[in-house]
Amino acid sequence: MKAKKEHAKKPAKKSGGKKLSVTSLLTIAQLQPQDIHLILDTAAELKAMQKAGKAHPLLKGKTLAAIFEKSSTRTRVSFEVAMYQLGGMMYYLAGRDLQLGRGESIADTARVLARYVDAITIRTDDHRKVVEMSKTAGIPVINALTDYSHPCQILADLLTLKERFGKLKGLRLVYVGDGNNVARSLVFGAAKTGIQLVMSSPAEYSLDQQAVEFSENDREKNGGELYFNAEPGRAVMGADAVYTDVWVSMGQEKEHAQRLRSFKKFQINGKLMANAAPSAVFMHCLPAHRNEEVTDEVIDGPQSIVFDQAENRLHVQKAILALLMGGIK
Ligand code: CP
Ligand code: NVA
């Protein structure tokens, strides 16, 4: 196990005001730790209100344009229901049906949409498109997944972990699988909340060095730790949570056969979970390719919290929308 430096433990700042330090949500990397805590606290409050049947129309009359250039179940529906429950409305825009799909520029699309709606969310391939949209729109832009990152997912995962363990700082989270968009956002989420993260990937699909270096400063400040261990059986030892994602992400379908060969020993099955702490939970952002990266036995087993993660997408989405769109002052 290659250890990165352990650093002096400096407590993360608690969420103070009700304002985020950002006007758009593009990556976890751009958030301050207090932004993350504010989103999680707000999501927990909104979740409690929803469960108690208390209306919370914080975005009455506000609108969200949601551009999807890739498939989605959770992100699309949770954004749409979130806007409805907040008293606003979402417009689903399939990329191929927009003029964007026929070559209209991102910048022109952003400028036009900003004349109609109060915020934009976009799921696309190239992260630079989301950045460009945020630069030109002049209204909040939310990353609903790019090939580079998936911030909304990781915020929901952090809420799920906090609910389960009552804290984030000091938890041992082991990610087994592809060093992809979800893994990259997890690295930043862990670094900013003081989580001890272990990454276990085949060498050829390991997380990029840039993300490791880029997040180092956050680990130093918040007491996070990052380790790499390419032996999943050893990596999961002592884990509080074991997390995986698909081996073949959207857009990588042609690499399916090669990837299956490379990831074979990285499957989360009963034998691997037995190496983690008995109280360890199993996490997956979903959708799962059952019996590839995870067996039915584990994902349907008592340690699995994957549907709590999926549910929390809704509550976190509401917090992000309300905070970015002026619903909480
Ligand atoms: N986890 C996630 O983003 O799921 P969808 O692709 O269904 O939105
Ligand atoms: N890594 C996956 C996440 C899906 C939510 C993908 O990009 O397809």
Side-chain angles (χ1 to χ4, degrees):
M1 182 181 281
K2 184 178 143 208
K4 304 282 297 179
K5 270 185 286 170
E6 241 198 285
H7 300 284
K9 310 272 187 278
K10 206 168 138 200
K13 265 198 214 150
K14 280 219 149 185
S15 58
K18 291 272 182 189
K19 255 197 162 349
L20 294 176
S21 68
V22 291
T23 51
S24 285
L25 175 55
L26 307 188
T27 61
I28 299 274
Q30 291 171 324
L31 296 177
Q32 299 295 327
Q34 56 266 37
D35 292 326
I36 296 179
H37 294 294
L38 176 57
I39 292 169
L40 301 188
D41 292 348
T42 306
E45 276 174 44
L46 293 173
K47 182 172 181 176
M49 288 178 86
Q50 181 67 25
K51 300 277 178 200
K54 284 191 197 150
H56 41 283
L58 301 172
L59 295 179
K60 201 161 187 296
K62 301 256 181 162
T63 49
L64 172 74
I67 303 172
F68 280 82
E69 295 192 314
K70 291 183 174 200
S71 305
S72 173
T73 299
R74 281 143 287 268
T75 310
R76 174 184 172 173
V77 178
S78 59
F79 265 122
E80 191 150 359
V81 173
M83 280 308 286
Y84 176 77
Q85 292 181 353
L86 291 169
M89 188 158 180
M90 181 189 106
Y91 299 92
Y92 172 75
L93 306 168
R96 64 179 177 280
D97 294 340
L98 293 174
Q99 296 291 9
L100 191 60
R102 293 182 55 249
E104 186 168 16
S105 74
I106 285 275
D108 287 349
T109 305
R111 286 191 193 106
V112 170
L113 289 177
R115 299 285 179 117
Y116 305 137
V117 300
D118 300 295
I120 302 171
T121 183
I122 174 167
R123 168 170 287 198
T124 188
D125 43 16
D126 191 337
H127 190 76
R128 285 171 297 190
K129 291 191 199 172
V130 181
V131 175
E132 190 177 356
M133 184 151 266
S134 78
K135 281 190 183 150
T136 44
I139 57 174
V141 171
I142 302 169
N143 175 1
L145 178 146
T146 63
D147 291 346
Y148 179 74
S149 68
H150 197 4
C152 296
Q153 176 67 51
I154 272 35
L155 289 164
D157 298 336
L158 293 176
L159 178 64
T160 313
L161 282 168
K162 203 172 165 196
E163 285 174 344
R164 176 61 65 145
F165 295 99
K167 61 170 192 177
L168 293 174
K169 204 172 176 62
L171 287 183
R172 183 175 169 88
L173 172 60
V174 182
Y175 178 92
V176 180
D178 191 15
N180 62 15
N181 44 7
V182 168
R184 200 171 291 109
S185 293
L186 207 51
V187 164
F188 285 99
K192 286 173 191 282
T193 56
I195 287 177
Q196 183 188 94
L197 181 64
V198 183
M199 303 286 297
S200 185
S201 312
E204 62 275 36
Y205 295 111
S206 188
L207 188 81
D208 53 291
Q209 192 55 28
Q210 199 193 29
V212 176
E213 285 167 16
F214 206 45
S215 52
E216 180 63 24
N217 195 23
D218 280 317
R219 279 189 292 282
E220 276 188 31
K221 279 200 244 164
N222 305 299
E225 293 165 44
L226 179 61
Y227 302 98
F228 291 89
N229 187 332
E231 279 306 318
R234 295 180 68 82
V236 300
M237 282 179 183
D240 293 305
V242 178
Y243 196 129
T244 193
D245 184 14
V246 289
W247 294 339
V248 184
S249 283
M250 291 182 275
Q252 298 172 335
E253 290 75 10
K254 285 195 186 122
E255 301 168 27
H256 189 254
Q258 171 57 44
R259 282 175 168 268
L260 247 56
R261 280 195 292 278
S262 295
F263 282 101
K264 211 170 162 210
K265 74 169 192 191
F266 292 83
Q267 183 187 67
I268 312 290
N269 49 38
K271 191 166 164 243
L272 193 74
M273 281 305 282
N275 279 8
S279 55
V281 294
F282 169 71
M283 302 179 77
H284 193 310
C285 57
L286 302 179
H289 289 180
R290 283 169 172 260
N291 301 311
E292 282 187 14
E293 75 275 6
V294 58
T295 57
D296 286 338
E297 173 197 19
V298 172
I299 197 168
D300 295 329
Q303 288 166 288
S304 175
I305 57 168
V306 301
F307 298 109
D308 295 335
Q309 289 173 263
E311 179 188 333
N312 281 337
R313 294 296 307 277
L314 170 64
H315 308 298
V316 164
Q317 231 79 284
K318 276 156 89 169
I320 295 167
L321 290 164
L323 287 162
L324 284 178
M325 294 172 74
I328 297 175
K329 302 246 162 49

